[in-house]
Amino acid sequence: MYVTCLDLEGVLVPEIWVAFAEETGIEELKKTTREEPDYDKLMSFRLDVLRQHGLGLKEIQETISRIDPLPGAKEFLDKLRENGQVVIISDTFTQFAQPLMKKLGWPTIFCNELIVAEDGEITDFKMRIDRSKYSTVKALQSMGFETIASGDSYNDLGMIKASKAGFLFRSTDSIKADNPDIPAYETYDELFNAVMDAQK
């Protein structure tokens, strides 16, 4: 039995931090896992920037409420789910993901938790498990599932390489150049067909 494991941001929805950076005009927050492979370092940097500007969870959630899935993402996800099990494995946080999951039809998502003070300041973050994407696909495999994985960033490479089949989706030129052995796709139709072929 197969489980398709998908990244969230950049694959199904726009990058949350980029959208927030654009709304607030804080350029530093545009940095994502496409540029910074070390997620802990990236998140610590983001929380420092939020503190400097006096911004917290409420302001980010207001931005998220205005974010829609990427064009065609829900239809792609619906079609995938009609043909097998799908899990979204993301390094985002439950406090960010919920409104986006509603717009995507409530798919299963495994993500992390923010630690938020009473005044709404994001004081820290708690990762669900070390190397969460890679560890999750390995756990699924230990339960007898074959995994197929797709994502766009450095933090997706572990789950992509550990899976029976793995694909880059709308990734950067540098990530594609560094990983020429991983098929790379730009459209949902291409990715859907690749996932279906991998299940044969």
Side-chain angles (χ1 to χ4, degrees):
M1 183 177 234
Y2 288 90
V3 176
T4 300
C5 303
L6 298 175
D7 177 36
L8 178 65
E9 294 176 67
V11 175
L12 298 170
V13 303
E15 294 280 353
I16 291 167
W17 289 96
V18 172
F20 187 61
E22 287 171 351
E23 285 204 358
T24 59
I26 303 170
E27 286 296 308
E28 305 101 294
L29 291 177
K30 286 189 175 178
K31 185 185 288 187
T32 71
T33 50
R34 286 169 164 239
E35 296 86 33
E36 174 54 70
D38 186 330
Y39 191 74
D40 284 353
K41 182 178 172 183
L42 177 62
M43 273 306 300
S44 296
F45 169 77
R46 287 167 168 169
L47 296 190
D48 284 343
V49 173
L50 292 179
R51 273 190 285 273
Q52 289 164 22
H53 290 270
L55 297 168
L57 180 61
K58 177 175 172 284
E59 290 81 8
I60 301 174
Q61 286 179 327
E62 286 171 358
T63 294
I64 292 168
S65 72
R66 294 186 282 275
I67 293 175
D68 287 320
L70 293 167
K74 185 177 185 300
E75 294 77 9
F76 162 72
L77 191 55
D78 288 346
K79 195 158 69 162
L80 263 189
R81 291 166 74 193
E82 286 172 11
N83 287 275
Q85 300 298 313
V86 180
V87 175
I88 297 170
I89 307 175
S90 174
D91 279 338
T92 193
F93 305 94
T94 54
Q95 295 94 331
F96 290 0
Q98 192 149 356
L100 297 169
M101 293 305 99
K102 183 177 182 180
K103 291 178 181 181
L104 286 169
W106 297 111
T108 298
I109 183 169
F110 298 154
C111 58
N112 306 300
E113 289 284 330
L114 291 169
I115 298 169
V116 184
E118 285 188 15
D119 65 358
E121 180 189 348
I122 303 170
T123 58
D124 206 349
F125 58 98
K126 186 175 188 302
M127 302 302 280
R128 182 173 50 82
I129 191 171
D130 187 45
R131 298 179 69 197
S132 63
K133 297 185 181 192
Y134 170 81
S135 299
T136 301
V137 298
K138 295 306 286 184
L140 288 166
Q141 290 164 6
S142 76
M143 292 187 288
F145 293 103
E146 295 270 21
T147 59
I148 299 166
S150 184
D152 67 324
S153 297
Y154 283 108
N155 63 336
D156 299 312
L157 294 173
M159 73 171 180
I160 288 171
K161 291 178 178 180
S163 292
K164 183 186 179 193
F167 313 108
L168 289 168
F169 186 70
R170 296 180 182 170
S171 190
T172 65
D173 289 341
S174 59
I175 293 175
K176 286 189 280 191
D178 289 345
N179 298 275
D181 53 320
I182 302 176
Y185 300 111
E186 297 296 320
T187 71
Y188 289 121
D189 284 346
E190 289 174 327
L191 183 56
F192 177 80
N193 290 334
V195 171
M196 292 299 102
D197 287 344
Q199 292 184 18
K200 291 176 182 174

